[in-house]
Amino acid sequence: MGAVEALKTYLIGQDPLRIEHHWQYMYRCWHFRGAAIMGAISAIDIALWDIAGKFYDTPVYNLLGGRCRDKARVYAHAGGKTTEETIANLKKMKAQGFTAIGHLTPFLDESLGDPYFTTHAKEIGEAIERIGAYREAVGNDVDLCIEVHRRLKPHDAIVFAQGIAPYLPYFIEDPIGADNFDSMAQVADKINVPIATGERLNNLQEFAMLIKRNAVSYVRPDVCMCGGGLPVRKKSRRWLKRTT
C-alpha cells in the first residue's frame, strides 16, 4: 500500500487511458524495485485496463487485439496430507472431467511448523514412488503437473526428475529456488522433464535470463507481481518469437 500511496501524487489528475505512458513512468521513477514496487505497478496497470474497458464499453481483450481463443484448458488442484488423500482427490478431479491435475506435491502438504528430516534415499525414493502411485491411479488420461515448491537442491532435483520421467509428468514446477538461473539451467540440462517456473519473479528481464539459459519450458509470470498485463503481453510475444 505504501508504494501505491507514493504513486498517487503522480497519478491523480492524469488521463487514465495513457496506460503505456503511466507504466513507463511508474517503472522508471524508483531508485529501487522489488516485489513491493512491482506489485503496486501491477495493481495500477490492471486497474487502468479495467477503466479503459469501461470507458470504451468493451472487454479488455478487445483492446489487446481481440479474443484469440474461445476456451482454454485448465488444470485442477488435488493436494493432500497423505498419499491416499491425494489419490482420492486425483480420482475426484478426473471424474469431474479434468484432463490435467496439478499441485501434486511428491512430499505432501506438511505443516511448515513441523521439524523435518529424513535420509536422501528415503526422501527421494518415496517421492518417486508417490508420483508412480499418482500415475497408476488415473492412467494416461490425465496429465500430472508436479509441484515441488522449491524444496530441493539442484542435485536432488536432478535425481528426482530422472526418477519420475517414466511416469510422463506434464511438468515439474519450481524444482529448486528460482533465484539462481544458472542452477535452474543446470537442472534443466540434465533431465528430460519440462520445468515450469516464474510466479515468484517480479521483473520480466529475469524471465529472459531463464529462457536464454534454456532453463524453463513453461514460463509462468504472475501478472500481479511483474508489472501487470501490459508488459507480460508485450514480452510474451518476444518470447514466442525466440522459442518458435
Side-chain angles (χ1 to χ4, degrees):
M1 286 300 297
V4 173
E5 288 292 321
L7 287 168
K8 279 173 57 176
T9 56
Y10 161 72
L11 289 166
I12 291 177
Q14 297 282 347
D15 178 359
L17 301 180
R18 300 181 66 197
I19 300 175
E20 174 78 44
H21 174 80
H22 300 322
W23 194 96
Q24 292 293 337
Y25 177 90
M26 292 187 294
Y27 184 75
R28 296 169 186 272
C29 73
W30 302 95
H31 295 295
F32 301 96
R33 298 194 188 103
I37 303 300
M38 295 306 295
I41 294 174
S42 301
I44 293 169
D45 177 81
I46 293 169
L48 291 176
W49 281 108
D50 183 57
I51 291 171
K54 291 175 179 176
F55 179 84
Y56 291 111
D57 192 25
T58 189
V60 170
Y61 60 71
N62 282 335
L63 304 177
L64 299 174
R67 186 176 69 244
C68 182
R69 296 178 177 86
D70 294 317
K71 59 182 180 179
R73 188 185 186 197
V74 299
Y75 66 85
H77 276 199
K81 294 184 178 180
T82 66
T83 302
E84 293 74 22
E85 182 181 348
T86 304
I87 289 175
N89 289 333
L90 260 172
K91 291 180 177 179
K92 184 188 301 183
M93 297 298 101
K94 179 182 178 181
Q96 292 177 3
F98 288 96
T99 60
I101 301 175
H103 195 75
L104 292 172
T105 170
F107 305 104
L108 304 175
D109 294 330
E110 298 167 332
S111 170
L112 295 177
D114 293 338
Y116 177 83
F117 173 76
T118 187
T119 63
H120 168 82
K122 182 177 176 62
E123 179 184 35
I124 302 301
E126 289 185 353
I128 293 171
E129 291 174 1
R130 193 167 285 120
I131 301 303
Y134 296 163
R135 173 56 71 202
E136 183 178 1
V138 295
N140 288 337
D141 295 325
V142 173
D143 283 322
L144 303 180
C145 309
I146 311 304
E147 169 65 90
V148 180
H149 290 307
R150 301 156 297 279
R151 181 161 177 166
L152 298 174
K153 301 298 183 184
H155 54 278
D156 294 326
I158 292 168
V159 175
F160 169 70
Q162 290 173 340
I164 67 172
Y167 305 120
L168 303 176
Y170 197 46
F171 59 73
I172 176 173
E173 183 173 356
D174 291 335
I176 64 174
D179 308 274
N180 191 318
F181 306 134
D182 290 331
S183 292
M184 192 72 79
Q186 174 192 353
V187 174
D189 184 57
K190 291 180 171 57
I191 67 176
N192 59 359
V193 175
I195 290 177
T197 191
E199 64 185 359
R200 292 193 170 216
L201 303 183
N202 54 64
N203 188 303
L204 294 179
Q205 281 69 36
E206 294 173 320
F207 289 99
M209 288 187 276
L210 278 172
I211 293 170
K212 183 177 181 180
R213 289 165 171 76
N214 294 317
V216 60
S217 296
Y218 294 101
V219 174
R220 300 169 64 85
D222 184 340
V223 296
C224 296
M225 281 298 298
C226 59
L230 177 63
V232 170
R233 177 177 178 273
K234 290 166 64 177
K235 286 289 185 179
S236 295
R237 287 187 169 183
R238 295 182 189 176
W239 293 335
L240 286 171
K241 289 178 181 178
R242 292 185 59 181
T243 57
T244 56

